[in-house]
Structure formats: C-alpha cells, structure tokens
Amino acid sequence: MADKEEKPVGEEEEEEEDVNLNYIPPAQKSLQEIQDLDKEDESLNKYKQTLLGAGPVVADPSIPNVQVTRLTLMCDQAPGPITMDLHGDLDALKKKSFTMKEGVDYRVKIHFKVNRDIVAGLKYVHLTYRKGLRVDKAVYMVGSYGPRAEEHEFMTPVEEAPKGMMVRGSYHIKSYFTDDDKTDHLSWEWNLAIKKDWDQ
C-alpha cells in the first residue's frame, strides 16, 4: 500500500502485456501424463512420487482444481489474528472491514488446496482503492504446485502499513488468485481500515 504512480487501469494493463510477451507458459500436461513418462527409470519414478504424490487427491471433476480456503494478515503486534474465511459468503466480506494499525509490519498468508492437476505460475494479486481511485497494485508470485491432501501455504514478504494522518482511513481491496493460464481460481473484495491504533 505504498505510494505509487497512478495510471489509468487500461494503460497499466497494456504495459503489463508488453512485458509478458516474451514468456510462453509450458504446455499443460495432466498428472497422469507426467507419471506415465519414463516409467522404466526407477530413480525418476521415486523422485516424481516425492514431488507429485501417489495421484490426484480429488477425482470429482465438479470440485475446482484449486481451492483458496483463507487469507490471514499476519502481524505480531495485532491483538488477534485477522483472518478471512474464503469458503463462506464472499459477498459478506465486501461489507466487513478489517482494522490495521498504521505503520505496523505485516505479511499476507494464503491457504489453498490443489486437488487434481499440477497448477503452474500461481499468483496472488490485490488492487487497493481509496475513495474510488486505485492507489496500489501488488502481485505476489506464489509458484507451481501439485495435488496433495494437505493445504499449501504461501506467505508474502514483510511489508509496512502506511502511516500518517493523510493515509488513515478506509481502503477497498479487490483480490485475485490466478495462474499462468489466466484461470480465475478466486476473486473477492474486502475492506481495510488504517487507524491510529487497533480496535479494542
């Protein structure tokens, strides 16, 4: 949420597309195709077993391959955890406001599951708005993950919340969890209030 140069949304997206033109994501292969490659190589098969597990965790095609379960703002100075349950009613999050004390160090922790196939180039994007104007865009490269029964966790680097009278107030945040194929795994909106102190 640091001060950054304001650009119209379309203009910034065009710039981003120019930068990404050189990158071509690898061809998508199913987990089964990867496991069937080089079957006669015993050491490679053990390595793949370690990385990929025994097979898909969920075979039901109606369940999404990637499920984002919760997001937590991690701050040692906070009176309690600031957690969003992303299983529930996402519309209710739009009406709820989370409070953060100005100037504190924090990290964003995301919990998600990969159910069937390897997902490449996961990223978490959040756009921050104040009084209708976009004031920040953050893109966090999460990485590539294979399916497993347990949730994966990703933690962003430490950031400092803005401080000072001019930045106190309410911010509206649009969050996206996407990948190299531009699949929208989850989009949600929430509100953050930067205050002089924590709510009691």
Side-chain angles (χ1 to χ4, degrees):
M1 299 201 336
D3 292 334
K4 292 187 182 174
E5 185 181 337
E6 284 270 340
K7 290 184 181 175
V9 174
E11 187 180 316
E12 187 162 333
E13 285 170 0
E14 284 173 22
E15 266 183 39
E16 208 170 273
E17 285 173 13
D18 290 342
V19 172
N20 292 335
L21 285 178
N22 295 332
Y23 175 71
I24 300 168
Q28 184 76 17
K29 288 189 184 233
S30 73
L31 190 62
Q32 190 61 48
E33 287 174 312
I34 293 169
Q35 287 174 331
D36 288 344
L37 289 171
D38 304 313
K39 275 190 164 181
E40 65 284 346
D41 187 333
E42 190 177 326
S43 65
L44 184 58
N45 283 328
K46 285 181 182 176
Y47 180 65
K48 286 193 277 189
Q49 179 84 19
T50 304
L51 289 176
L52 305 174
V57 177
V58 176
D60 185 352
S62 66
I63 294 175
N65 187 38
V66 177
Q67 293 175 294
V68 187
T69 57
R70 66 189 180 281
L71 181 142
T72 305
L73 295 174
M74 309 287 292
C75 178
D76 294 336
Q77 299 151 27
I82 305 168
T83 301
M84 287 171 230
D85 178 7
L86 301 174
H87 278 123
D89 182 7
L90 296 180
D91 285 335
L93 280 177
K94 283 185 197 178
K95 299 175 185 113
K96 189 171 181 180
S97 185
F98 299 91
T99 298
M100 183 176 285
K101 181 182 176 181
E102 63 180 351
V104 298
D105 290 338
Y106 71 96
R107 298 173 87 180
V108 176
K109 185 178 190 179
I110 302 165
H111 299 259
F112 62 97
K113 284 187 76 175
V114 179
N115 292 314
R116 283 185 307 280
D117 294 317
I118 294 169
V119 61
L122 280 173
K123 61 184 160 188
Y124 169 62
V125 180
H126 75 231
L127 308 173
T128 305
Y129 296 84
R130 186 165 188 207
K131 297 178 182 171
L133 295 173
R134 189 167 83 195
V135 294
D136 188 40
K137 177 181 180 178
V139 178
Y140 301 100
M141 295 308 298
V142 177
S144 300
Y145 293 84
R148 71 177 192 190
E150 305 82 31
E151 285 188 343
H152 295 281
E153 290 180 358
F154 172 77
M155 189 100 74
T156 66
V158 174
E159 294 194 41
E160 183 182 3
K163 61 184 169 185
M165 195 170 70
M166 297 296 289
V167 296
R168 283 183 217 136
S170 296
Y171 293 84
H172 184 74
I173 299 165
K174 295 181 180 180
S175 293
Y176 306 90
F177 204 67
T178 185
D179 62 24
D180 280 346
D181 296 328
K182 297 184 174 36
T183 304
D184 182 12
H185 296 293
L186 188 68
S187 298
W188 71 100
E189 297 179 29
W190 50 289
N191 298 291
L192 182 66
I194 302 292
K195 297 185 177 180
K196 198 167 184 176
D197 209 343
W198 300 102
D199 286 343
Q200 297 306 319

